[in-house]
């Protein structure tokens, strides 16, 4: 359904709703019976889903709720996506800085131990320790 069809449908509905009180009782009874018959013939498993665009158009001042639904898709909807994304980026940045500080503290502790000669001389003879020192310097 395109925009022109929707506009026409809303105009017809509005015109019918304006003159609803002026209709005779027999006409409203026939309309009620026709509606019941149409609802009985409607397939139960077929639903007419609205797309977001149709929902926005239907509620942008044309619907009965005054456009409340269309306002919900505005800045609040975007903040609902942006806020968790910002929190995730901030959390990952915090974890990265914490891990970097831990690594720097571990290297400083090892350097202090090497410089203060608290390590036994056999540690310098261990090839694995030398490889570890060379790797940590890079």
């Amino acid at each position: 359904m395109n925009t022109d069809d929707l506009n026409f449908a809303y105009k017809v509905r509005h015109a019918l709703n304006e003159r609803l009180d002026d209709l005779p009782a027999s006409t409203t009874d026939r309309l009620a019976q026709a509606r019941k018959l149409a609802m009985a013939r409607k397939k139960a498993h077929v639903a007419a889903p609205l797309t977001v665009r149709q929902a926005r158009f239907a509620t942008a001042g044309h619907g009965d709720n005054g456009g409340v639904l269309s306002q919900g898709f505005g800045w609040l909807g975007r903040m609902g996506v942006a806020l968790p994304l910002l929190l995730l980026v901030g959390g990952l940045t915090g974890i990265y800085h914490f891990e970097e500080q831990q690594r720097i503290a571990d290297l400083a502790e090892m350097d202090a131990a090497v410089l203060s000669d608290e390590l036994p001389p056999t540690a310098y003879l261990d090839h694995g320790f030398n490889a570890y020192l060379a790797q940590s310097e890079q």
Side-chain angles (χ1 to χ4, degrees):
M1 219 177 205
N2 62 19
T3 307
D4 294 331
D5 292 339
L6 283 173
N7 282 335
F8 178 71
Y10 284 118
K11 287 177 183 178
V12 168
R13 187 185 84 178
H14 184 58
L16 290 173
N17 284 340
E18 279 183 351
R19 302 293 180 194
L20 185 63
D21 295 333
D22 298 338
L23 291 176
S26 62
T27 304
T28 56
D29 291 339
R30 285 190 316 199
L31 286 173
Q33 289 173 356
R35 183 178 189 284
K36 286 180 186 176
L37 182 65
M39 292 301 288
R41 289 184 183 172
K42 180 185 176 282
K43 294 179 181 177
H45 66 281
V46 176
L50 285 177
T51 63
V52 173
R53 183 176 179 178
Q54 289 171 336
R56 284 184 183 172
F57 180 78
T59 59
H62 298 290
D64 295 329
N65 60 0
V68 173
L69 183 61
S70 64
Q71 293 171 0
F73 287 115
W75 67 273
L76 187 60
R78 285 190 291 269
M79 287 302 292
V81 173
L83 186 62
L85 187 61
L86 288 173
L87 289 175
L88 177 68
V89 169
L92 290 175
T93 304
I95 291 171
Y96 173 76
H97 286 295
F98 176 76
E99 290 294 325
E100 279 294 310
Q101 292 299 322
Q102 288 295 104
R103 189 176 75 75
I104 289 170
D106 290 343
L107 288 175
E109 184 180 330
M110 185 178 67
D111 288 342
V114 168
L115 292 175
S116 65
D117 287 336
E118 292 178 6
L119 289 176
T122 56
Y124 296 108
L125 298 176
D126 185 14
H127 295 292
F129 183 72
N130 289 334
Y132 177 74
L133 287 177
Q135 179 186 9
S136 64
E137 287 176 3
Q138 294 175 357

